[in-house]
Amino acid sequence: MSVRLFDITFTPGSASDILATSARQPATRPRMIVTANLDHIVTLSENAAFRKAYEGAVAHTLDGMPLVWLARLRGGRSAQRVTGHDLIAAAFAAPWPAGQQIFLVCSTEAVGLHLAERLVAEGIPRASIAFTVPPFGFENDETYGAQLCAAVRAHGTTLLVFGVGAPRSEIWVDRQGNALGGPVVLAVGEALNVAAGLVPRAPALMQRLGLEWFFRFWHAPHRLFRRYFVRSWGLIGIALRRSLLMTSRRRPHAARPRPTPNARRAPDTP
């Protein structure tokens, strides 16, 4: 059963289920899967291009534990967390689908090299793997965008994985549209660095307790302070505004007074 929060319908099922469902969608354009967390929700309230990209995605997952808890409070008792890590693990799991061609868009060359070696060691043909590191500001560079689209198509890409963070990845994929072909697209941010073995992930207990954010902050405080201690408070404002809006919609409108049936009209004054 799907869950709806903040005007987003979240796709039910495990990471494997969501990947399979997305792959069955018509390949007429990129079939993007987005992984929502608190920062995404705040950014969606500010960035129209990001909202458009979210609306065009074929699947939305509950990545952040606070969103999972909120979904359960709203009645979605079966709501489960599906992170970018889960999607990558499911996508890279054996057996490798026949004809699968993966293209990685990485934050650094080290990520691409390490991840490619890992996949080859697991039995994936080297020719099935390609990667690139886009330059800073790539999302606004039309020439580079056309070149990257051409490279993705030339590789015969069936799975395109972005590890350069939101909202750049999602907006870029949405803007390219048909120029990218019809691969399944995972916008997973730093999860790609973790999969390459270059960044640690929080212990399982911290993940279950919803403290994975603190683990990430501890390892990169300068980069993540504003996200976790400033921007995340914006979600409270969004929730309050939505609550007030829903309350005003439910409040009955005051009825216009009707004349008493037996009342007589007052005589006209001369």
Side-chain angles (χ1 to χ4, degrees), residues 82-150:
V82 176
T83 68
H85 306 283
D86 299 325
L87 290 168
I88 288 177
F92 294 169
W96 188 250
Q100 177 91 296
Q101 295 285 106
I102 182 171
F103 197 107
L104 309 169
V105 181
C106 309
S107 57
T108 67
E109 186 173 3
V111 172
L113 290 172
H114 279 75
L115 193 49
E117 289 306 315
R118 172 200 151 181
L119 295 175
V120 169
E122 293 176 0
I124 296 173
R126 189 176 294 274
S128 296
I129 308 164
F131 76 88
T132 192
V133 180
F136 180 79
F138 78 95
E139 66 274 18
N140 298 316
D141 187 332
E142 293 185 7
T143 301
Y144 178 80
Q147 293 171 351
L148 180 53
C149 285

Side-chain angles (χ1 to χ4, degrees), residues 35-56:
T35 57
N37 55 36
L38 296 187
D39 189 62
H40 282 204
I41 300 300
V42 174
T43 304
L44 286 167
S45 72
E46 305 167 340
N47 191 319
F50 193 41
R51 288 197 302 274
K52 181 177 179 296
Y54 249 68
E55 290 167 0

Side-chain angles (χ1 to χ4, degrees), residues 239-252:
L240 286 175
R241 287 195 298 272
R242 293 182 65 83
S243 178
L244 290 172
L245 179 61
M246 294 298 293
T247 300
S248 66
R249 286 176 177 175
R250 287 194 296 264
R251 185 180 299 137

Side-chain angles (χ1 to χ4, degrees), residues 4-268:
R4 190 164 177 82
L5 287 175
F6 301 104
D7 295 326
I8 303 168
T9 300
F10 289 96
T11 311
S14 66
S16 297
D17 296 334
I18 291 169
L19 279 168
T21 299
S22 301
R24 287 194 295 268
Q25 300 298 313
T28 54
R29 58 174 287 118
R31 294 161 288 177
M32 182 163 58
I33 302 172
V34 293
T35 57
N37 55 36
L38 296 187
D39 189 62
H40 282 204
I41 300 300
V42 174
T43 304
L44 286 167
S45 72
E46 305 167 340
N47 191 319
F50 193 41
R51 288 197 302 274
K52 181 177 179 296
Y54 249 68
E55 290 167 0
V58 298
H60 310 77
T61 76
L62 292 160
D63 188 326
M65 276 307 298
L67 293 181
V68 175
W69 294 331
L70 182 57
R72 291 172 180 171
L73 285 173
R74 294 282 186 87
R77 298 188 182 278
S78 62
Q80 61 180 304
R81 188 184 188 202
V82 176
T83 68
H85 306 283
D86 299 325
L87 290 168
I88 288 177
F92 294 169
W96 188 250
Q100 177 91 296
Q101 295 285 106
I102 182 171
F103 197 107
L104 309 169
V105 181
C106 309
S107 57
T108 67
E109 186 173 3
V111 172
L113 290 172
H114 279 75
L115 193 49
E117 289 306 315
R118 172 200 151 181
L119 295 175
V120 169
E122 293 176 0
I124 296 173
R126 189 176 294 274
S128 296
I129 308 164
F131 76 88
T132 192
V133 180
F136 180 79
F138 78 95
E139 66 274 18
N140 298 316
D141 187 332
E142 293 185 7
T143 301
Y144 178 80
Q147 293 171 351
L148 180 53
C149 285
V152 169
R153 293 196 311 273
H155 183 61
T157 305
T158 59
L159 180 66
L160 175 62
V161 185
F162 269 82
V164 294
R168 292 180 297 164
S169 302
E170 295 85 349
I171 292 173
W172 186 86
V173 171
D174 180 67
R175 284 177 176 168
Q176 301 310 312
N178 295 336
L180 268 176
V184 171
V185 182
L186 305 182
V188 296
E190 194 173 77
L192 199 62
N193 303 349
V194 175
L198 299 179
V199 174
R201 192 181 179 193
L205 179 60
M206 294 188 77
Q207 296 175 39
R208 289 196 298 271
L209 294 176
L211 293 174
E212 189 165 7
W213 68 271
F214 184 76
F215 182 87
R216 294 185 64 196
F217 168 73
W218 186 260
H219 285 80
H222 297 293
R223 182 170 64 86
L224 296 176
F225 178 84
R226 186 171 183 273
R227 175 189 296 186
Y228 292 136
F229 293 96
V230 179
R231 284 183 54 78
S232 61
W233 287 98
L235 184 68
I236 297 176
I238 295 169
L240 286 175
R241 287 195 298 272
R242 293 182 65 83
S243 178
L244 290 172
L245 179 61
M246 294 298 293
T247 300
S248 66
R249 286 176 177 175
R250 287 194 296 264
R251 185 180 299 137
H253 296 288
R256 293 183 178 179
R258 289 185 174 183
T260 305
N262 295 328
R264 287 185 294 178
R265 182 180 176 183
D268 296 332

